[in-house]
Amino acid sequence: MKFPSFGKRFRQPLAIILCSTILMAGAHWLYGLPEAQPAKEFTPEPYFPKLDLGVSLPVGAQFILLNQPEKSGDAAELELMFTSRLPNAELTVEYILPAEMRTLNGSTEWRGNLALNETQRLRQTVSIDTEAPVAIQAKITINSGDYSATRGVAYNFDLGEVSHASYQTVPVEGYQGGSELNLIIPKK
C-alpha cells in the first residue's frame, strides 16, 4: 500500500504549524513555573599592577550619587554599592545621617549574607536641609567565622556658594582637534 505524499507546497506551512505548536506548548509549560529570582551580581577583586597597598580590605564599598542636588531642600539619590571579599560573609550595613538630612525613601539598614565577590546595591533618597557641608555615612560590619571587621564610607555634600575654582566643560564647534573646551571658573 502506498501512503499519500505531501507536495512541496504543503511542507513549509506544515513545518510552521508544527513549530508554532511546539512553541505554544513550551510557553504553556514555562508559564506554570515559579518566577525566576534576579541574578546575583559579582564584582571581581580590584587589580592594582605593581602596587602594594599593604592592607587587604574585607569589604569594598562606594557611594554613587545618581542625581545632582543644587540647593538646600533638594533630594539627593544615592546608591551604596558594597562587595564581600570573604566567602560566606554576614554583613550589616547602617546609614548614619546628620541632623541636617532626613530619609525620604529607602531603608537605613541592611543585613544579609554575601558570597565571595558578591555585590549588593542599596538606594537611598535623602533631603539635604542645609547649605553647609554635610556627609552621609555608612558603617559596614562584616563577619566570617571568627573574623570581624568594620569599614566606613561617606559621601560629602556642599550646596552652599562655591568658594573654590571649579571646572566646566563647554561644547565648541569649528575647531580641529576637539569638540569641548574645559574652563576653570574662578571662585565667586
Side-chain angles (χ1 to χ4, degrees):
M1 173 176 222
K2 191 173 182 184
F3 291 102
S5 172
F6 290 107
K8 288 184 180 180
R9 67 180 200 179
F10 292 111
R11 286 186 191 156
Q12 188 176 16
L14 187 60
I16 291 172
I17 292 171
L18 182 62
C19 288
S20 298
T21 305
I22 291 172
L23 286 174
M24 288 174 40
H28 180 69
W29 178 74
L30 286 174
Y31 184 77
L33 293 178
E35 189 174 309
Q37 296 295 323
K40 293 181 179 181
E41 180 180 357
F42 289 87
T43 304
E45 293 187 42
Y47 176 64
F48 303 106
K50 300 181 182 177
L51 179 64
D52 183 8
L53 299 176
V55 65
S56 177
L57 297 174
V59 62
Q62 169 183 0
F63 268 116
I64 302 166
L65 183 63
L66 301 175
N67 69 340
Q68 189 60 49
E70 296 178 4
K71 61 186 183 317
S72 176
D74 283 356
E77 189 173 345
L78 293 145
E79 183 175 76
L80 175 63
M81 184 174 92
F82 51 94
T83 305
S84 172
R85 301 298 180 199
L86 299 175
N88 303 321
E90 179 184 327
L91 274 79
T92 303
V93 178
E94 300 174 61
Y95 283 99
I96 303 167
L97 297 172
E100 298 85 6
M101 282 187 186
R102 58 191 162 85
T103 301
L104 297 176
N105 191 6
S107 178
T108 57
E109 64 180 48
W110 181 88
R111 297 177 194 279
N113 294 328
L114 295 180
L116 177 67
N117 295 328
E118 184 178 349
T119 297
Q120 180 70 33
R121 294 172 185 265
L122 295 179
R123 285 200 173 182
Q124 180 81 7
T125 304
V126 296
S127 176
I128 305 168
D129 299 327
T130 183
E131 290 187 356
V134 292
I136 184 171
Q137 301 174 30
K139 182 174 93 171
I140 303 167
T141 303
I142 185 167
N143 295 305
S144 182
D146 293 337
Y147 181 81
S148 180
T150 299
R151 177 175 181 199
V153 63
Y155 194 92
N156 298 307
F157 292 96
D158 187 356
L159 302 180
E161 185 175 329
V162 177
S163 61
H164 57 279
S166 61
Y167 291 99
Q168 182 178 0
T169 302
V170 179
V172 293
E173 295 179 9
Y175 294 95
Q176 185 177 1
S179 61
E180 294 177 342
L181 182 62
N182 293 323
L183 300 176
I184 297 176
I185 308 301
K187 64 181 179 179
K188 294 180 180 180

